[in-house]
Amino acid sequence: MNKQNPTEWHPESWKQKPVSQQINYGDQQALNDAIEQLRQLPPLVSSSEVDNLKKQIALAQEGKQFILQGGDCAESFADCNADSISQKVRLMVNLSLLLSRKLNKPISRIGRIAGQYAKPRSQLMETKLDASLPSYRGDLVNHIHFSESARTPNPQRMLQGYSYASLTLNYIRSMLESDLDQIYQLDQETEELRNLKQAKQVHQSLHQFQQMMQMFHNFTGAQPVTKSLMEFYTSHEALHLHYEQALTRQNKEGRWYNLSTHFPWVGMRTASSNSAHIEYLRGIANPVAIKVGPKMQPEQLTELCQIINPDNEAGCLTLIHRFGHKAIAKKLPSMIRAIKGADIKVLWCCDPMHGNSRLANNGIKTRDFDHIQSELLQAFDIHKENGTILGGIHLEMTAEAVMECTGSSYQISEAELNQAYTSLVDPRLNISQVFELVDSIDTSIQKIPQKSRLIP
Ligand code: PEP
Ligand code: CO
């Protein structure tokens, strides 16, 4: 089997496999019409951009680059506006600058953006009072409002999702062509950000950087802004296979690419080796990420890697582990041993969010900053001890001053969670918390593991 021409693979071959998180569209004809319309529309990204990202992931696998992947848990159509998009991009750019100072490596920025519209749910039905309705499955599928019409899956939403993704990308691309100052400027409205120690450091770096670029410009006459500095990639969970399939296109050499995004990932709930989702992902030339949760066994993981990347091509596979702060020390080493033992090339990336979700006393879904930080710092240590490299982090975060995760020096209490909670699904780190998290990284990669990293 070869990725260039995988046996009996076709963008629709996933339909022969069991589909978990299946969406029940009542009207099959309406679904087929929407897919056909999507198939006629132009791709959102190009195969050369996808290939570039794959090269960067290959470098990150060798420790020469680092991946920052982040954004909303569930992106919403309503957030497709200039302010929201520019805040997201500026947050990523500023965080990547801080990260590159910490790690002394170039950073690839990958947003959970321009397509992160479909959500897997543990409960497919939601009950409130005496009514039971389909759960919210992301704006690509239905609407969050709790009514029968809003929750009924509507295939036209795939076309809307495509349009919003395209508008978002268009705005990102135009931002990246504009002045450096504008992109780096953090939201001046946010008081706590203005006072943030880390934000000040970022601005200082930026200032030095701009001076250097100006000197370079004066000296050589070349353009001061390098394109690569401003690269920005998109990613989303490849969950809604009808949507993914309709935007899967073949290039001149016969290779299939998912051109709805640069970097699709498969979620924890859909990553079994015989699943429709793995069948779909094994045929595309994009770099692919697999979420690795505490229930996965090491041999399952190596099998998945061999299915998705049978040629062991560099840059092709990223493993995003999300065990939780209590389980990581027990689970990660055996995964590392299995992957190393089978000589499989992967990028190791830590998602310290999804294994640390919990319900607060008032029933609100939250995550504790200390748990998130503990998992991330342990991840750096465990990889170092096992001779592997942590080459990326995956965060749910927002530039807005929300209160969704508890703790941090911002000291959000459980009681404050309902004051500023706008996430449609999982709780995100706010801008202050995410800077604090990233700022704590350097100590972890220089020191021997400490007991204090383990939170009881
Ligand atoms: C997510 O990334 O939003 C998600 C649902 O992750 P996981 O599949 O790891 O639970
Ligand atoms: Co999430």
Side-chain angles (χ1 to χ4, degrees):
M1 191 165 64
N2 182 314
K3 187 102 187 184
Q4 306 240 349
N5 183 20
T7 31
E8 295 169 31
W9 185 92
H10 187 267
E12 285 190 57
S13 56
W14 61 268
K15 289 183 179 164
Q16 269 115 57
K17 300 278 182 171
V19 189
S20 42
Q21 298 282 325
Q22 177 91 279
I23 298 147
N24 294 321
Y25 289 105
D27 185 344
Q28 205 57 35
Q29 190 56 47
L31 173 63
N32 292 341
D33 290 350
I35 295 170
E36 196 43 42
Q37 283 180 59
L38 269 181
R39 272 174 25 83
Q40 305 301 324
L41 291 166
L44 296 175
V45 301
S46 73
S47 56
S48 59
E49 290 167 353
V50 171
D51 290 341
N52 271 342
L53 177 62
K54 194 188 269 183
K55 285 186 199 135
Q56 293 186 17
I57 294 176
L59 287 174
Q61 289 175 342
E62 295 171 24
K64 296 180 181 151
Q65 184 99 10
F66 195 85
I67 304 296
L68 167 65
Q69 187 178 17
D72 297 312
C73 178
E75 216 184 341
S76 79
F77 293 173
D79 267 354
C80 182
N81 58 66
D83 274 358
S84 168
I85 299 165
S86 68
Q87 278 190 41
K88 289 174 191 183
V89 172
R90 284 184 288 164
L91 176 62
M92 287 289 285
V93 170
N94 279 281
L95 265 183
S96 66
L97 194 65
L98 182 59
L99 255 181
S100 89
R101 271 173 49 119
K102 293 275 162 200
L103 302 172
N104 216 6
K105 289 178 190 177
I107 311 293
S108 304
R109 289 167 287 274
I110 310 175
R112 288 174 63 114
I113 200 165
Q116 178 48 20
Y117 297 127
K119 295 307 301 170
R121 303 311 300 261
S122 305
Q123 304 298 328
L124 295 182
M125 297 299 283
E126 184 179 345
T127 305
K128 269 190 197 167
L129 300 173
D130 52 357
S132 197
L133 291 174
S135 294
Y136 171 62
R137 304 282 292 275
D139 279 6
L140 199 62
V141 176
N142 57 6
H143 192 283
I144 197 158
H145 182 65
F146 194 76
S147 71
E148 181 146 6
S149 62
R151 289 293 176 88
T152 303
N154 177 357
Q156 282 298 313
R157 285 187 158 267
M158 284 193 282
L159 287 153
Q160 290 174 337
Y162 167 89
S163 302
Y164 284 120
S166 153
L167 295 168
T168 304
L169 256 171
N170 184 52
Y171 193 63
I172 294 174
R173 292 193 200 280
S174 75
M175 270 189 85
L176 299 184
E177 294 294 327
S178 64
D179 279 355
L180 246 188
D181 311 29
Q182 277 179 30
I183 297 174
Y184 279 96
Q185 212 165 38
L186 287 160
D187 193 349
Q188 294 304 310
E189 305 303 307
T190 318
E191 183 63 27
E192 60 270 24
L193 181 65
R194 257 207 305 266
N195 298 328
L196 206 66
K197 176 178 99 251
Q198 294 91 339
K200 285 189 182 139
Q201 286 174 2
V202 170
H203 281 280
Q204 226 175 350
S205 303
L206 168 66
H207 190 65
Q208 286 165 359
F209 174 77
Q210 282 172 325
Q211 281 179 329
M212 257 170 47
M213 292 309 261
Q214 195 56 50
M215 273 167 54
F216 175 74
H217 176 59
N218 295 345
F219 189 62
T220 63
Q223 274 304 309
V225 177
T226 64
K227 260 262 186 219
S228 68
L229 178 84
M230 287 300 133
E231 274 173 16
F232 193 99
Y233 295 95
T234 65
S235 66
H236 65 247
E237 179 170 349
L239 180 67
H240 196 326
L241 294 178
H242 291 296
Y243 180 81
E244 307 302 332
Q245 166 210 315
L247 288 158
T248 301
R249 310 289 163 86
Q250 204 165 21
N251 73 357
K252 288 196 193 81
E253 291 81 45
R255 284 162 74 90
W256 290 96
Y257 285 80
N258 180 332
L259 296 181
S260 73
T261 188
H262 301 109
F263 189 38
W265 79 81
V266 60
M268 191 191 68
R269 291 163 191 78
T270 47
S272 64
S273 46
N274 193 37
S275 72
H277 291 81
I278 296 298
E279 171 61 20
Y280 169 73
L281 289 174
R282 83 179 172 96
I284 55 171
N286 304 55
V288 163
I290 305 174
K291 288 285 201 101
V292 183
K295 288 198 189 124
M296 194 179 281
Q297 298 304 314
E299 53 282 8
Q300 270 177 284
L301 183 60
T302 52
E303 189 191 4
L304 278 179
C305 294
Q306 276 145 3
I307 295 171
I308 292 184
N309 187 19
D311 295 338
N312 207 12
E313 188 193 340
C316 195
L317 255 186
T318 297
L319 302 181
I320 306 177
H321 49 79
R322 31 87 78 229
F323 295 117
H325 72 107
K326 283 195 180 141
I328 184 171
K330 212 167 117 227
K331 299 281 175 182
L332 181 55
S334 56
M335 295 293 179
I336 295 176
R337 275 194 297 277
I339 294 291
K340 270 176 85 173
D343 223 357
I344 295 171
K345 290 192 186 114
V346 298
L347 173 69
W348 293 99
C349 177
C350 173
D351 165 358
M353 313 298 297
H354 288 87
N356 291 310
S357 308
R358 66 180 180 92
L359 284 186
N361 288 332
N362 47 11
I364 298 177
K365 192 173 184 186
T366 189
R367 293 162 174 157
D368 196 337
F369 180 86
D370 286 350
H371 296 166
I372 295 169
Q373 188 183 40
S374 167
E375 179 163 1
L376 181 60
L377 301 188
Q378 287 184 68
F380 276 106
D381 292 340
I382 294 168
H383 281 291
K384 198 169 179 198
E385 282 163 14
N386 287 275
T388 41
I389 300 163
L390 183 69
I393 54 175
H394 182 115
L395 302 173
E396 287 187 343
M397 61 185 193
T398 172
E400 293 160 42
V402 298
M403 297 194 217
E404 298 174 359
C405 294
T406 53
S408 76
S409 42
Y410 203 69
Q411 294 185 336
I412 299 175
S413 68
E414 286 197 2
E416 285 171 312
L417 290 175
N418 48 18
Q419 287 177 21
Y421 198 115
T422 56
S423 175
L424 297 178
V425 183
D426 290 338
R428 301 158 297 177
L429 293 165
N430 70 23
I431 186 162
S432 158
Q433 292 173 319
V434 77
F435 269 94
E436 187 174 341
L437 180 71
V438 169
D439 198 37
S440 68
I441 283 177
D442 58 342
T443 48
S444 83
I445 49 174
Q446 277 152 22
K447 288 187 194 156
I448 307 296
Q450 301 160 351
K451 277 228 170 69
S452 60
R453 301 236 167 102
L454 299 167
I455 311 288

